Amino acid sequence: MNQNWQKPSPKLNWVRFYSIVTILVLVTSVAGLEMLRVSAHQEVAQSQSQRGPVNKKGSAKHQPATNPQVPMKKAVNKATAKGFAEQLRPFLANTNAKVAVYSKRDHQLYEATNTKQNTFPSASIIKTDLLVELLHQRHQKASALTTGEQNATVQMIENSDNNAATSIYNDIGSARGLGQLFNNLKMTNSTALASGWALTPTTPRDQIKVLNKIFYENGYISNKSKAYTKNLMANVADDQDWGISAGSKYAWLKNGWKQMPNGHWIVNSIGYLGKGDNSCTIAIMSEDNPSLESGEALLEKLSQQVGVQLKIAGAERKV
């Protein structure tokens, strides 16, 4: 028997026991904290995946729940369709007129009228339609305008020459050619007449479809043809610079006017106002005006109000 062996002290055994227990408790606590940390991290990750990415400031960036296959529609301007019509109502009182405006910024068509009359006779605004169809037909055939057609289109738009318009009308195939334009652009309320172009039934809404092909949309005529048309509409004769041009100092237009057998006047004006996003295409048609001057004044008041209400570039409050 080893003389040097001594029985362990009971006090020492208890110290060892408490040390072991303490170590086990610490290990268990650390493991538990790690599990909680992992769980919390998973919850945060799941929450962020549901709310969208987090911006640099750490707050969740708002992302509306939308169908990725459907483009979001741009917010409509405060001038809603109803509000637009209400703003123009005082200027339409005791008249026979209709207004249509397409706002580029709002991507929306606005309309206002005080009449149940559906169509109006075009007078010379239809000359813009004749030009667009001529350029479309030449584009389809990959051919340029002849010298005679160039001269006629300048006279037809800048000076509103009727003989030049009849020449272009015949070149596109008369009523058949004009009707082709109406079909292609889905101008469902416009009708080409066998009797000629001067009193073509149409609507401001349908005329917006033609104007948008010139100023906003691609495809029906080439970019070169669009630039050609814009140049003509920017250089109308000084005595024809009235109507929608009152709506902005930036204006491209074509007017139409005709006195009827009862002495009353058809007075119409179509075109483009403004610059960039703060722009619009506009068509105003009126009938039963007691004089050409009163018709011009009506269209200018309406155009001025449109420019101010839709915040068109170059518009001035004059009404």
Side-chain angles (χ1 to χ4, degrees):
M1 185 175 201
N2 190 344
Q3 298 281 334
N4 295 325
W5 180 85
Q6 295 182 354
K7 184 178 181 180
S9 169
K11 182 177 181 179
L12 182 60
N13 288 337
W14 280 109
V15 170
R16 290 176 177 174
F17 174 75
Y18 283 127
S19 298
I20 294 172
V21 170
T22 301
I23 292 171
L24 290 174
V25 169
L26 288 173
V27 171
T28 303
S29 298
V30 171
L33 287 172
E34 179 63 18
M35 292 177 65
L36 289 173
R37 187 186 69 80
V38 172
S39 177
H41 177 74
Q42 290 175 341
E43 289 182 4
V44 170
Q46 183 180 11
S47 175
Q48 289 181 352
S49 68
Q50 292 172 346
R51 290 182 297 167
V54 176
N55 63 21
K56 292 182 179 179
K57 293 183 179 180
S59 59
K61 184 183 293 185
H62 176 65
Q63 291 188 344
T66 58
N67 185 340
Q69 297 179 345
V70 180
M72 292 182 63
K73 185 178 180 180
K74 195 169 183 178
V76 174
N77 186 271
K78 291 182 180 179
T80 61
K82 182 177 180 181
F84 178 86
E86 289 176 349
Q87 289 291 325
L88 293 187
R89 184 171 293 118
F91 305 95
L92 288 166
N94 303 314
T95 69
N96 186 14
K98 185 174 287 189
V99 182
V101 182
Y102 175 79
S103 166
K104 183 181 180 183
R105 181 185 59 250
D106 301 339
H107 301 293
Q108 179 168 331
L109 179 73
Y110 297 102
E111 294 183 285
T113 187
N114 67 330
T115 178
K116 294 182 179 179
Q117 181 172 325
N118 187 28
T119 64
F120 289 76
S122 65
S124 288
I125 62 169
I126 203 67
K127 293 169 182 175
T128 305
D129 299 38
L130 299 178
L131 175 59
V132 168
E133 181 56 26
L134 174 68
L135 293 170
H136 171 70
Q137 291 183 11
R138 296 297 175 268
H139 180 61
Q140 292 294 99
K141 296 179 180 179
S143 61
L145 298 181
T146 66
T147 301
E149 288 172 339
Q150 290 180 28
N151 292 335
T153 54
V154 170
Q155 291 299 315
M156 177 177 72
I157 300 298
E158 294 187 358
N159 299 308
S160 204
D161 185 276
N162 289 338
N163 291 331
T166 299
S167 173
I168 298 301
Y169 177 71
N170 292 333
D171 284 351
I172 66 171
S174 304
R176 179 186 56 78
L178 187 57
Q180 182 176 314
L181 171 74
F182 297 158
N183 289 334
N184 290 341
L185 302 190
K186 295 180 171 56
M187 299 168 67
T188 56
N189 289 301
S190 299
T191 304
L193 303 176
S195 57
W197 56 265
L199 296 175
T200 301
T202 186
T203 65
R205 177 190 282 257
D206 275 0
Q207 290 305 305
I208 291 293
K209 295 177 181 180
V210 179
L211 293 168
N212 284 355
K213 292 299 181 184
I214 300 170
F215 292 96
Y216 294 134
E217 301 172 4
N218 296 321
Y220 199 70
I221 58 176
S222 68
N223 289 336
K224 184 177 180 180
S225 293
K226 289 163 66 175
Y228 180 77
T229 305
K230 292 174 187 177
N231 183 63
L232 296 181
M233 296 178 72
N235 289 284
V236 297
D238 290 343
D239 63 347
Q240 297 177 30
D241 187 8
W242 48 263
I244 63 103
S245 58
S248 171
K249 63 182 179 181
Y250 310 111
W252 291 252
L253 73 152
K254 181 68 192 84
N255 295 329
W257 62 97
K258 184 175 179 61
Q259 188 174 26
M260 301 303 289
N262 62 2
H264 290 177
W265 285 79
I266 299 164
V267 186
N268 304 325
S269 186
I270 66 172
Y272 170 95
L273 301 175
K275 294 173 66 176
D277 286 340
N278 295 321
S279 67
C280 69
T281 46
I282 178 172
I284 308 176
M285 303 186 70
S286 68
E287 199 173 6
D288 299 325
N289 296 285
S291 67
L292 175 59
E293 292 74 19
S294 65
E296 290 179 9
L298 168 64
L299 269 56
E300 290 181 353
K301 287 180 181 179
L302 291 168
S303 183
Q304 288 166 4
Q305 182 61 27
V306 167
V308 171
Q309 187 178 347
L310 295 183
K311 299 179 180 179
I312 299 301
E316 299 180 10
R317 185 177 291 278
K318 299 178 182 178
V319 293

